[in-house]
């Protein structure tokens, strides 16, 4: 999980450096648009890894609550 977060941070930092390098708002906007794919993808992958790791250690009720919480996060993102 930490490795994926580190990879995500590296991509974000690289994008920020590219924005500074090009120094144009149009290019920065395009780079930022590409980053909109990275964030949700990393969120889903890290969440999936965490749930797989917790599967045998958490009670079924606890797991249902975690899954419901993740579902509410995605529902909130889609609605607002």
């Amino acid at each position: 999980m930490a490795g994926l977060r580190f990879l995500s941070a590296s991509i974000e930092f690289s994008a920020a450096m590219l924005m500074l390098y090009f120094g144009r708002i149009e290019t920065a906007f395009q780079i930022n648009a590409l980053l909109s794919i990275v964030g949700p993808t990393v969120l889903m992958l890290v969440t999936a890894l965490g749930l797989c790791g917790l599967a045998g250690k958490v009670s079924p009720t606890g797991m249902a609550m975690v899954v419901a919480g993740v579902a509410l996060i995605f529902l909130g993102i889609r609605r607002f």
Side-chain angles (χ1 to χ4, degrees):
M1 289 173 64
L4 280 174
R5 284 294 177 188
F6 183 74
L7 177 65
S8 174
S10 299
I11 292 170
E12 297 270 347
F13 182 76
S14 298
M17 296 307 290
L18 285 172
M19 288 178 192
L20 289 172
Y21 175 77
F22 289 114
R24 296 182 48 214
I25 192 71
E26 296 86 8
T27 306
F29 189 73
Q30 291 173 344
I31 292 169
N32 193 56
L34 289 172
L35 284 176
S36 68
I37 298 169
V38 174
T41 303
V42 170
L43 173 68
M44 289 188 291
L45 288 173
V46 169
T47 302
L49 281 173
L51 288 175
C52 289
L54 289 175
K57 299 177 183 175
V58 178
S59 69
T61 304
M63 185 58 76
M65 291 176 68
V66 170
V67 171
V70 171
L72 287 173
I73 289 171
F74 285 113
L75 182 65
I77 291 171
R78 295 188 83 202
R79 298 284 176 162
F80 301 105

